[in-house]
Amino acid sequence: MPLLVEGRRVRLPQSAGDLVRAHPCLEERARLLRGQSVQQVGPQGLLYVQQRELAVTSPQDGNGATCLTHCDGTDTRAEVPLIMSSIRSFSEHAQCGRLEVHLVGGFSDDRQLSQKLTHQLLSEFDRQEEDIHLVTLCVTELNDREENENHFPIIYGIAVNIKTAEIYRASFPDRGPEEELRAARALTGGPMISIYDAKTEQLRIGPYSWMPFPHVDFWLQQDDKQILERTVPWKPGPALQKERRWLMGKDLFSRKLNPGSPKTATCWPDRDRGGCTERASDFTSAEA
């Protein structure tokens, strides 16, 4: 069934800008989201979702089944069906409701990686069997600002309050648990995976394994600034200086963990601190 906006089928392909001009409600929602102040979230009550991860909550956890994920264009055709099957498994017995999608992230990068990812995501959601309602679209040129002829994202991170279904701009001082282990998996090409078991309320990390990282000796000789500059398509701003996926991968490999051997961790919610009441994900760009 088609991708819909306010009950009308979305015409594809078209750019994000053309899409919001055809559906003014999307442009208004993007404007409101961009205009929010950034809220600092966690670590209490936070489940942080990294690159190529997804987490789904059961309807008993909050306001309907909620899935949050960070897609980076690695394998969109496989990732969207995984997202759909994950959310469907928690809502198959629902008597009412609808499937909604909110897309946030990316910017107008010189290599047009964000534009490519946006097109892939919209096309794949449009190919799914169910009616999917596009509610929020704040991507590429709708999430872009220019400074000294360089382009930057406006929104770097979002959070979802699963009790109210509110989506808002956010920053995350704590990106754990096992941030380095999870970053190494993404750095070495790991696929999209689910990290949260809503039935047991456990965050399960791994087991992971990876092959030797190509040219690791070269990367380990570079300083942190050079790694950031060579792995993002724009000059890193303050938010990106805090984004340490590549740096953590560097540190992890420099400690000479044995590639190919499983690495795993299981975490339980801290009930004295309220458990997992929010889901959050850091969106930077299509190639972050």
Side-chain angles (χ1 to χ4, degrees), residues 1 19 47 63 69 83 137 142 144 148 151 167 196 198 223-224 254:
M1 298 297 288
L19 186 54
L47 174 59
N63 188 13
T69 183
I83 294 167
L137 186 70
L142 303 172
D144 183 82
N148 298 325
H151 289 266
I167 300 173
Y196 181 64
D223 60 34
D224 292 352
S254 70

Side-chain angles (χ1 to χ4, degrees), residues 129-175:
E129 295 180 357
E130 300 89 343
D131 285 349
I132 301 175
H133 298 263
L134 179 62
V135 178
T136 304
L137 186 70
C138 190
V139 297
T140 59
E141 61 260 51
L142 303 172
N143 189 45
D144 183 82
R145 66 180 180 86
E146 187 173 353
E147 182 179 330
N148 298 325
E149 298 184 352
N150 292 316
H151 289 266
F152 300 87
I154 297 172
I155 299 173
Y156 283 91
I158 63 166
V160 182
N161 185 320
I162 66 165
K163 293 188 179 299
T164 65
E166 177 190 8
I167 300 173
Y168 54 93
R169 295 179 62 180
S171 63
F172 312 98
D174 185 297
R175 301 181 180 189

Side-chain angles (χ1 to χ4, degrees), residues 28-277:
E28 176 64 12
R29 293 188 188 110
R31 183 188 68 81
L32 292 173
L33 186 60
R34 291 193 305 266
Q36 292 180 358
S37 59
V38 178
Q39 301 181 43
Q40 184 169 295
V41 179
Q44 179 177 347
L46 171 69
L47 174 59
Y48 184 81
V49 178
Q50 281 202 32
Q51 188 176 359
R52 288 185 226 144
E53 294 180 343
L54 67 85
V56 186
T57 68
S58 70
Q60 289 75 27
D61 286 342
N63 188 13
T66 302
C67 175
L68 190 64
T69 183
H70 184 167
C71 300
D72 63 2
T74 302
D75 191 357
T76 307
R77 177 159 290 188
E79 291 168 355
V80 169
L82 177 60
I83 294 167
M84 294 300 299
S85 63
S86 298
I87 198 73
R88 193 184 301 117
S89 66
F90 285 92
S91 58
E92 57 186 3
H93 299 300
Q95 300 299 316
C96 60
R98 66 179 191 174
L99 291 170
E100 298 181 347
V101 63
H102 305 259
L103 299 180
V104 182
F107 70 113
S108 297
D109 61 279
D110 293 337
R111 287 184 276 175
Q112 297 190 334
L113 298 174
S114 296
Q115 290 88 333
K116 179 181 178 181
L117 176 57
T118 296
H119 170 71
Q120 290 175 346
L121 287 168
L122 291 172
S123 298
E124 288 306 317
F125 279 116
D126 192 52
R127 289 191 181 102
Q128 302 308 303
E129 295 180 357
E130 300 89 343
D131 285 349
I132 301 175
H133 298 263
L134 179 62
V135 178
T136 304
L137 186 70
C138 190
V139 297
T140 59
E141 61 260 51
L142 303 172
N143 189 45
D144 183 82
R145 66 180 180 86
E146 187 173 353
E147 182 179 330
N148 298 325
E149 298 184 352
N150 292 316
H151 289 266
F152 300 87
I154 297 172
I155 299 173
Y156 283 91
I158 63 166
V160 182
N161 185 320
I162 66 165
K163 293 188 179 299
T164 65
E166 177 190 8
I167 300 173
Y168 54 93
R169 295 179 62 180
S171 63
F172 312 98
D174 185 297
R175 301 181 180 189
E178 297 294 340
E179 182 181 8
E180 295 183 2
L181 180 66
R182 295 155 70 184
R185 187 195 70 85
L187 183 65
T188 53
M192 176 78 72
I193 59 168
S194 176
I195 62 168
Y196 181 64
D197 186 335
K199 294 180 180 178
T200 62
E201 297 184 334
Q202 293 179 1
L203 175 65
R204 294 186 174 179
I205 307 302
Y208 299 151
S209 62
W210 53 80
M211 298 302 293
F213 186 63
H215 312 299
V216 66
D217 291 338
F218 167 79
W219 286 108
L220 292 178
Q221 293 172 6
Q222 312 306 308
D223 60 34
D224 292 352
K225 181 179 179 182
Q226 287 179 308
I227 292 178
L228 273 174
E229 289 178 344
R230 295 186 186 196
T231 54
V232 294
W234 68 97
K235 183 177 180 180
L240 282 177
Q241 296 294 347
K242 299 177 183 178
E243 174 48 74
R244 304 186 305 136
R245 287 192 193 90
W246 295 96
L247 306 185
M248 290 184 301
K250 168 187 165 183
D251 293 342
L252 190 60
F253 285 108
S254 70
R255 290 201 296 270
K256 301 186 184 301
L257 291 179
N258 295 324
S261 60
K263 316 294 186 298
T264 184
T266 302
C267 306
W268 287 264
D270 184 345
R271 298 189 181 280
D272 292 336
R273 298 169 66 186
C276 294
T277 59

